[in-house]
Amino acid sequence: MATYFFLSVAAYAFLGNLIFSLATHSSVVPEHRISRTFEAIIAAVAGISYFLILSDYHHMLEDLAKLTDEASRHQLINRSYNAIGQYRYMDWAVTTPLLLLKMVGALRIKPSEAPRAIFTLLAADFFMVFTGYIGEQQLTAAGEIIAGQKLLWGAISTAGYVLVPLILFGLWKRFKDRAKKPERRAYKWMALTTVTTWGVYPIGYLLTLTDLNLNWIHISFTIADIINKVGVAAVLYLAAKKLLEERVSEESVLPGHQIG
């Protein structure tokens, strides 16, 4: 039930973030309004994913209540975890590139200024997600994990994961001086998530090979998703709103920081 609670909170959090992103599109400086659009897309995709995950998990709980045999319960829980994982990876394939583009935008980097770095950043991210997805599909017909194959694809996926923060650091060194102080601070916090909360996902990937209750992985992934998609959005929004307040006189701004 704790897992069901966290999944429900996440679904509502993304719905709320979608509404907030749309409502505050004009509440930031013009150069960061594309980030509000990206955030609305991220929130919509994540919200749909979590409502589907919640539905799948709800049906699993109903079926689980009818089973008394421990082996059958274990098999059902594993199959449910694998099914929910499908939604997660499809979500990440869309949302993580947009999160990275938001980070690039925080430093006011135009695509034409660093095309190779941005392309490599997005390619590494997609490579990480796609190979991780392949790794999660290394299962027997009974739904049991093929450990060797899963570890191999996990190692391959890690190459993309390592490349992402390295490229972000390179972009920081090249373009940090053009950004304003609030933008630099926001970029640091957003980039930091790629080496902290993004790390929850490969750890969870490996923990499926242990006897750990899979509900703990569900909860951890859900909390990490909220931080990376709602928390990161709030960081950049506050920075961009502060820039608007510094640029526009108070009497020119309507309540809610909409430009009059």
Side-chain angles (χ1 to χ4, degrees), residues 127-184:
F127 177 83
M128 173 189 68
V129 173
F130 186 64
T131 52
Y133 174 79
I134 294 175
E136 292 283 14
Q137 309 316 307
Q138 303 307 304
L139 306 166
T140 66
E144 297 298 323
I145 296 171
I146 305 174
Q149 291 295 316
K150 181 163 186 175
L151 286 172
L152 173 63
W153 282 104
I156 294 171
S157 178
T158 301
Y161 171 67
V162 171
L163 196 55
V164 167
L166 290 176
I167 296 172
L168 290 174
F169 181 66
L171 291 172
W172 165 258
K173 289 196 297 183
R174 288 176 59 187
F175 297 101
K176 63 180 179 179
D177 292 335
R178 72 166 49 174
K180 304 291 185 182
K181 184 176 179 181
E183 293 167 322
R184 291 196 297 270

Side-chain angles (χ1 to χ4, degrees), residues 158 161 197-207 221:
T158 301
Y161 171 67
T197 54
W198 280 36
V200 169
Y201 306 114
I203 292 172
Y205 181 96
L206 292 174
L207 287 176
F221 281 2

Side-chain angles (χ1 to χ4, degrees), residues 208-226:
T208 58
L209 297 170
T210 70
D211 293 329
L212 181 72
N213 188 321
L214 293 175
N215 284 308
W216 287 112
I217 302 178
H218 277 311
I219 293 172
S220 299
F221 281 2
T222 301
I223 293 173
D225 276 349
I226 293 172

Side-chain angles (χ1 to χ4, degrees), residues 30-74:
E31 53 266 41
H32 287 301
R33 288 177 188 170
I34 186 65
S35 292
R36 301 307 293 156
T37 301
F38 287 160
E39 186 50 47
I41 297 171
I42 291 169
V45 172
I48 292 171
S49 297
Y50 267 86
F51 278 111
L52 291 172
I53 288 171
L54 192 60
S55 175
D56 190 289
Y57 195 82
H58 178 80
H59 290 309
M60 186 276 291
L61 291 178
E62 289 183 331
D63 293 338
L64 192 66
K66 301 173 186 176
L67 298 176
T68 55
D69 178 60
E70 193 60 35
S72 297
R73 290 171 64 88
H74 175 74

Side-chain angles (χ1 to χ4, degrees), residues 20-29 32-34 36-37 258:
F20 183 74
S21 298
L22 295 174
T24 58
H25 185 267
S26 299
S27 303
V28 299
V29 287
H32 287 301
R33 288 177 188 170
I34 186 65
R36 301 307 293 156
T37 301
Q258 301 282 341

